[in-house]
Amino acid sequence: MSHSPNFSAQSPGRRQFLKRSAALVIAIGNTGVVSLLTLDEAEAQSLAAAPRAIGPKSLDTWLAFDKAGNVTAFFGKMDMGQGVDTAIAMVVAEELDLSVARVSVVMGDTHRTPNQGGASGSSGCRLGAIALRNAAAEARRVLVARAGEKLGVAADQLQVTNGVVQLKSDKKRSVSYRDLINEGFATDLDWNSRYGNNLTVKGIANPKAPADYHVVGKPAARKDIPGKVLATTEYCHHVTLPGMLHGRIIRPPVANAVPVSVDESSIAAWPDAKVVRKGDFIAVVAASEWHAIKAARELKVTWSETTPPFPPMEKLFEYIRQTPAASNSAKGGFGGAAYDPEPALAAIRNAARQVEAEYEVPFQSHARMGPSVGLADVKNGEALIWSDTQKPHDQRDGLAKFLGLPPDKVRVIWKPGPGSYGRSDSDEAAFEAALLSKELGVPVRVQWMRNEGHGWDPKAPACVISCKAGLDENANINGWYFHAKGFSGWDVNFNAADPRDTLVGQLTGIAKGDAHNFGAPSESYVFPNAVKFWETVPTFLAKASPLRTSHMRAPQEPQVHFAHESFIDEVAHAAGSDPVALRLRHMKDPREIAVLEAVAKLSKWKPRTAKDPKQTGSILHGRGVSVCSTFGGYVATVAEVEVDRASGRIWPRRIFVAHDCGLIINPQALRTTIEGNVVQGLSRTLYEEVRFDERNVLSVDWLTYPILDIRDAPEKIEIVTINRPDQPAGGAGEPSHVTIPAAVANAVFAATGVRVRRLPLRLDKLA
Amino acid sequence: MASYSLMIDGVKREVDADADMPLLYALRGDLAHKGPKFGCGLAQCGACTVILNGVATRSCVLPVSAVGDAKIRTLDGLGTAANPHPVQAAFIAEEAAQCGYCTNGWIMTTVAALEKTPHASDEQIRTLLSGLKCRCGTHMAIMRAVRRASDVMTRSTADNALFTDAMQEA
């Protein structure tokens, strides 16, 4: 691999930093591998720390010790607020026999951390921890071997206690890690030659057996919390460069209108403000952020006359039903899977009874707390970018294509942002800032405004899902049909590795891609004569659409499982079966069965049948169940709701979750992660819907896109976790989120007898 | 542009700004504060909250010219790792943050309320915090943190009151 670019000459701020930095940088041979041997944590995390080349084969790429014997782990994924960095520190501490406090984690810098695929698919621990675990195990082996040489004993006579290698038989004969690392590791790992989520490395040493763990599996305080609470955490939004300009983007009033003319005199009141136009992209930049905001607000643009591109919102589901499919699960997605609905439909037609239902889910917005932000300094054939993207390495590739630079001349530094939850707007501002900086020759910071964060972020795809089942004379299922039809989850790709997937790319003339995926349930249910498939419909607008669609937390699975897990309840009701019992009869995977049984026990589930008496009183009570297995996590949820008969208000009073994600690394962070999944899930279930008219998106702030308010949060979320140290760590960032819509819908049905088949769930007042 | 003298966290700071520029941009910009965040600019989410003369205030819509000689408190000046405010200590103990972008608003709103009336029922806590936005769904941990802070501050107020009473009797 080639040498890293020298970013040190780009700004006085960075030069100063490098002068102050005590980092000792040693280039090793012609591999371009650089190790930072005296790494100060604060400086390592600081603005544009010195680049280090990153060959996954080198152990020095993954771990660097400082002179105090503390270690920095370089992690090619990032934490989005669930404590993944702490989990990585725990895994590294475990293998090195260090305390967690002595491990710091650097995340998501294309010139300091290897490309492990960024935040993606609940894979922080599931995939990302594997390389770090193996690297740390090998580091311990190397250090203990060196200690053995120094002490003149065989390595197997030694043990390690918090970074001190000592003779098992005589603890006074010891040597510290810090005295063993002067020359770095200079050790090669086996690398599977892959980048991204599937990158893995392995040394000679095997990691510890889970039975020997003393750090992993015990609660550890999250490292990110104090900085967030004490206002010391530097977010992407905080980063500034000397001489930078502030950019604001001008969006059209009608989604597909393009600028015809721009009256620059309309912003003459702000002498520091000017217009930058490139193709159909228009921005205002100014030295003062407030001037940029005001000038962007006042700029007079004449837009093209255009036919409004969208159907009326009330026709959304009709559009999905009636529009011929653009792709389907045999052609799209990850590889495709052939299907034939006819045998299932025939079995259902010929059954004694048929159960059918259709479910509708509108567009939803990632609606991050802070809209997109990016800072770019593009000059001298290099680009330095700060971003809160989920995938800095992919974004680096996209920016390189956009700017016409070689990828190794583009450095993306990830900084924490306002959550993410999938392919949100987080990638967009960095591309816009890069274009503006390239055009103007100075650093530019682009900050989206609130209306853009809701109105122009890629949306979770709307869909209509049809389910059918056949029941025989004995109420046994003899046919099963699941058909999801919606907008593509890949209309905007989940990686920003190509500028065609950004607004500014499309506005400056790069044709949008045309990739298709949706989804179908992945649980282990076995039904006779079953078919599950999906189709996608074309997006409304081929360029820069505010209703373009992308991955949003557990991509398409909340939609898919809202339908499928609701429908299983409907079938159970029709068959006169308890919904838990019916699920258990058809499940094959023992881990799914275990979580379902665990949640039934936790919630003291009472078997329910269609014969339950109708409730009286002003508040109606009901419970519903739902199951999901995805990303290596297995979850069963029971929702207990109260419905106010007079107002129709649905309050999810208590939520019970049984959760199995294999090996649990940090039980404390796992619990708060599950709670977040649940509450965000309740918000999507009960409140969230992107509103639009024929001209544009109308959900442009928190009033027009309500989310769950704390008054409507549950009284209690009860969680039982099943730890499986014999299983690999699975995902926890998404699976429990997926169970929420159907659990609540099923509970609403149990309370009221009303089956709501559209998200967000809404009830009129009940008679 | 005019010069404004602002009293922030007990220190007088000079800011050059247009009269209509919201206080948030002074704090985030020249004054380099990390607590108050830009979330909406519409006073809808609370991420920008500061305490102005004891009242939780959305700094994203408050013109800098309207601040006058009001005393401004920010999360940046509230406490330190060695000496956190009881509300900060409670948020750390309960790990009541995910991405943490909204945390400023929840803490500053809680501080303004509990410093006046430390005791709060669970229902009062929900009402107090209503309207603040958290996208990560941290609400359960936030409620635990505010409950914890309320309990601690109620106890310490009671202790202070007892102490004061004892002093007065002596």
Side-chain angles (χ1 to χ4, degrees), chain B residues 81-94:
Chain B
N83 187 24
H85 188 282
V87 174
Q88 288 175 309
F91 270 68
I92 291 170
E94 296 292 347

Side-chain angles (χ1 to χ4, degrees), chain A residues 2 25 196 358 365 405 438 479 488 505 516 588 630 741:
Chain A
S2 60
V25 182
E358 277 197 351
S365 170
L405 294 173
K438 183 185 175 187
S488 171
H516 291 266
K588 293 294 167 219
T630 187

Side-chain angles (χ1 to χ4, degrees), chain A residues 520-539:
Chain A
S522 53
E523 286 64 46
S524 68
Y525 297 118
V526 175
F527 301 116
N529 304 309
V531 65
K532 298 185 285 187
F533 67 105
W534 56 257
E535 295 175 316
T536 46
V537 292
T539 187

Side-chain angles (χ1 to χ4, degrees), chain A residues 18 23 51 119 205 212 263 305 398 406 476 497 534 550 555 561:
Chain A
L18 288 169
D212 298 328
D263 174 9
E305 293 290 330
N476 292 315
W534 56 257
S550 73
H561 286 77

Side-chain angles (χ1 to χ4, degrees), chain A residues 525 565-573 576-587 596 605-610 612 623-627 746-747 749-750 755:
Chain A
Y525 297 118
E565 288 289 311
S566 292
F567 187 63
I568 291 177
D569 250 51
E570 298 209 43
V571 171
H573 184 75
S577 292
D578 170 58
V580 171
L582 181 128
R583 281 177 173 81
L584 288 172
R585 275 206 298 282
H586 293 279
M587 266 177 186
L596 183 51
W605 178 265
K606 291 196 191 75
R608 201 176 77 219
T609 69
D612 286 348
R623 285 173 153 209
V625 68
S626 165
V627 176
N746 293 338
F749 176 75
R755 177 57 66 176

